[in-house]
Amino acid sequence: MERAQPFGRAGKKARVKTEKAGMDLTFLILVLLLLSIGLIMLFSASYAYAYYHDGNSFYYISRQLFFAIVGVIMMLIISRIDYHILHRLALPIFAGTIFLLIFALVFPYRSDAKRWINLGFTTFQPSELAKFALVVLFAHLISINYEKMKDPKYGVWPFLGIMGVIALLMLLEPHLSGTILIVSIGIVMMFVGGTDIKWFMLGGGLLIGGIIVMVLIPGVVEYAESRFIYWINPWDAPQGAGYQTIQSLYAIGSG
């Protein structure tokens, strides 16, 4: 036991150095490294297009670099705030997100969807805020009901209701991929939070049944069906629903 004490003190000193001023320096370095790689990849993929179409090879990278710097500054500022405050902000953030999702439906269609709020100098997608709002509210509910998560009254119905409201508003936009992502995040949090496994088995069965219905009865979910069809063969509508998939293939092909 006596030999373990120096090791313990050494370990503590190492943690103090790593988490200087309450910050995990290892994690910070990894985040900045990933950000740098992303910026380099963006510049590599966009400089030729920016030069020919905008007359400035740095058009896209300069904008993204500005947002990256602002994001890092905001990240450092927010890291100094006690995250427990999110318990009190969970419901206001969720309510604000619902309001913005409804507000987005008022704006004109853009690319056959109503996902964006025009701020004048840029546009904003409330669905991006919805991801954060869902995580914060779910974490809040799981924290206060952790020992009751096996009870569907606490571990199933509130979460399904929250996901249902967000998913419905996003489907009205429509934003199918975002809806799938939101629901996936919610399901993972419910699983980690301790919801009874039988509810995931039931949900999986209903999902499979829904997919079968969509396949066997064409037109039941027309928008989702069209997205699936053009994902399989985007060349049927190269300037329409298949455009993004084709551009992704071009990007992969050109490295």
Side-chain angles (χ1 to χ4, degrees):
M1 294 295 293
E2 293 180 356
R3 292 182 179 179
Q5 291 177 357
F7 177 80
R9 287 197 297 269
K12 183 177 181 180
K13 290 180 180 179
R15 288 195 299 273
V16 170
K17 290 180 179 179
T18 304
E19 300 178 3
K20 186 178 180 181
M23 184 179 298
D24 189 333
L25 295 181
T26 302
F27 187 71
L28 175 63
I29 292 172
L30 290 174
V31 169
L32 295 178
L33 179 62
L34 288 173
L35 177 62
S36 301
I37 293 174
L39 291 171
I40 292 171
M41 293 177 67
L42 173 67
F43 181 57
S44 174
S46 66
Y47 76 93
Y49 180 90
Y51 178 78
Y52 286 110
H53 290 267
D54 300 286
N56 179 9
S57 297
F58 299 93
Y59 178 77
Y60 294 104
I61 187 61
S62 59
R63 288 164 54 88
Q64 197 64 28
L65 182 61
F66 170 76
F67 289 126
I69 293 173
V70 172
V72 170
I73 293 173
M74 291 299 298
M75 178 184 71
L76 294 175
I77 293 174
I78 293 173
S79 70
R80 310 302 301 170
I81 301 174
D82 185 356
Y83 65 89
H84 290 94
I85 195 176
L86 293 176
H87 276 295
R88 297 193 296 271
L89 296 178
L91 288 175
I93 291 174
F94 176 73
T97 299
I98 296 301
F99 172 78
L100 291 175
L101 286 171
I102 296 174
F103 189 55
L105 298 175
V106 177
F107 282 84
Y109 279 98
R110 176 183 172 187
S111 301
D112 298 324
K114 294 185 176 184
R115 305 175 190 170
W116 297 269
I117 294 177
N118 191 345
L119 300 178
F121 62 95
T122 187
T123 57
F124 168 70
Q125 275 191 291
S127 57
E128 296 300 321
L129 180 61
K131 299 171 187 175
F132 175 71
L134 183 83
V135 170
V136 171
L137 185 55
F138 273 28
H140 170 68
L141 294 176
I142 292 170
S143 177
I144 63 178
N145 297 311
Y146 184 73
E147 297 181 354
K148 304 175 184 178
M149 288 296 289
K150 297 296 182 184
D151 185 344
K153 181 180 177 180
Y154 299 96
V156 177
W157 308 129
F159 297 95
L160 291 184
I162 293 167
M163 280 195 296
V165 171
I166 294 178
L168 176 61
L169 291 173
M170 291 180 64
L171 286 173
L172 290 175
E173 294 180 350
H175 193 179
L176 180 62
S177 58
T179 303
I180 293 173
L181 183 58
I182 285 284
V183 172
S184 299
I185 292 172
I187 290 174
V188 170
M189 291 199 67
M190 290 173 65
F191 178 79
V192 174
T195 300
D196 198 321
I197 192 67
K198 68 181 180 183
W199 294 103
F200 297 104
M201 297 175 65
L202 176 61
L206 292 175
L207 177 62
I208 294 173
I211 294 175
I212 292 175
V213 169
M214 188 178 70
V215 172
L216 295 180
I217 309 177
V220 173
V221 188
E222 185 175 349
Y223 177 75
E225 182 182 345
S226 66
R227 292 295 295 270
F228 181 77
I229 291 174
Y230 290 120
W231 173 66
I232 296 296
N233 190 6
W235 304 104
D236 285 347
Q239 296 299 320
Y243 180 80
Q244 287 189 342
T245 302
I246 292 174
Q247 298 307 307
S248 298
L249 294 174
Y250 283 153
I252 294 172
S254 62

